[in-house]
Amino acid sequence: MAEARAVLSGVSDAVELGLALSAKLGVGLVRPEIRPFGTWRIPSIKKGSPYWSTLWYVHESLDRMSGYIDGRKFLDTIRQEPWQEAGAHYDIAIVHHNLTDDSDKMVQDGDIQYSLSSTSEDLAAVISTKQIRTVNDDRQRREALTRLAVHSFGHVLQTTNRSGPTVRLAYGEKHCTNAGCVMRHAATTAELLALSSDEADSEEWFCNECSEAMLRHLLRNHFSVN
């Protein structure tokens, strides 16, 4: 429950920032509904059938030999779900397994490889709590998870989808290099804790450039012909 609250806190902060930025331009974006479903199941769908429960997403993407979840497969199940076809929306999933991703997006941390999260632009993010749970301090663990949620959601909102000297390709994705910005990349838990501490006094999660990129993304979706 505490982990879910930490993630929700980060997602809510990002949403509120987007609304505030659009309001400054005189554009009233509709406040999106945030639905924390938790671990759900649909009683009308037979157990084990596609999309009957969150457990099905795990079953479809879990490598039973390694115990890791394939982040790309998990995201594909979200991309193909009937609810995306009925009405496009963002999904943020939390799993307690380690994640694999494309090889260039994984980090070698000691004797294990993993990715803290897997993301797909304009669609979804899946976040692993496996390594973050190794942090003993409750406050640090919570703050690190919130930062990871905001960072991952930032990729979904295409905050670094720009060119210029303040973005660089790291671990297969564009990341920001501006001081204090949540879109700086943390590959390991130790790096995540360090950046979380560094950003503790920042007034905003995102730098101006990332905020503007996020706003452009939200406005494109808002005024899309679809």
Side-chain angles (χ1 to χ4, degrees), residues 4-74:
R5 285 196 296 267
V7 170
L8 282 170
S9 174
V11 171
S12 296
D13 283 352
V15 168
E16 290 301 320
L17 175 61
L19 293 173
L21 291 171
S22 66
K24 288 181 179 179
L25 293 179
V27 179
L29 294 180
V30 176
R31 184 179 298 278
E33 185 177 1
I34 299 176
R35 300 179 178 181
F37 288 120
T39 302
W40 54 265
R41 62 163 300 181
I42 302 176
S44 60
I45 299 179
K46 183 180 178 182
K47 181 178 180 180
S49 299
Y51 299 103
W52 76 279
S53 165
T54 47
L55 297 177
W56 182 82
Y57 292 72
V58 173
H59 180 273
E60 288 296 296
S61 55
L62 181 64
D63 183 328
R64 284 167 175 73
M65 291 292 292
S66 66
Y68 280 45
I69 281 180
D70 185 325
R72 308 323 299 177
K73 286 185 177 179
F74 198 103

Side-chain angles (χ1 to χ4, degrees), residues 26-158:
V27 179
L29 294 180
V30 176
R31 184 179 298 278
E33 185 177 1
I34 299 176
R35 300 179 178 181
F37 288 120
T39 302
W40 54 265
R41 62 163 300 181
I42 302 176
S44 60
I45 299 179
K46 183 180 178 182
K47 181 178 180 180
S49 299
Y51 299 103
W52 76 279
S53 165
T54 47
L55 297 177
W56 182 82
Y57 292 72
V58 173
H59 180 273
E60 288 296 296
S61 55
L62 181 64
D63 183 328
R64 284 167 175 73
M65 291 292 292
S66 66
Y68 280 45
I69 281 180
D70 185 325
R72 308 323 299 177
K73 286 185 177 179
F74 198 103
L75 291 169
D76 282 341
T77 64
I78 293 174
R79 182 176 292 106
Q80 297 167 20
E81 66 183 17
W83 304 287
Q84 283 290 346
E85 296 178 4
H89 59 276
Y90 303 129
D91 278 320
I92 308 295
I94 312 167
V95 297
H96 65 265
H97 300 270
N98 274 321
L99 283 175
T100 61
D101 206 313
D102 295 335
S103 58
D104 58 347
K105 295 182 180 180
M106 296 180 65
V107 63
Q108 183 74 43
D109 187 10
D111 59 352
I112 61 171
Q113 281 189 311
Y114 61 84
S115 177
L116 290 171
S117 67
S118 294
T119 63
S120 182
E121 290 187 350
D122 204 28
L123 178 68
V126 54
I127 296 167
S128 171
T129 62
K130 181 72 172 181
Q131 295 304 316
I132 294 177
R133 286 180 177 180
T134 63
V135 179
N136 293 323
D137 185 273
D138 289 343
R139 179 186 57 80
Q140 289 183 332
R141 185 169 60 250
R142 182 175 63 254
E143 291 176 351
L145 183 54
T146 297
R147 186 200 187 275
L148 178 58
V150 179
H151 178 91
S152 301
F153 194 37
H155 280 301
V156 176
L157 299 179
Q158 298 182 310

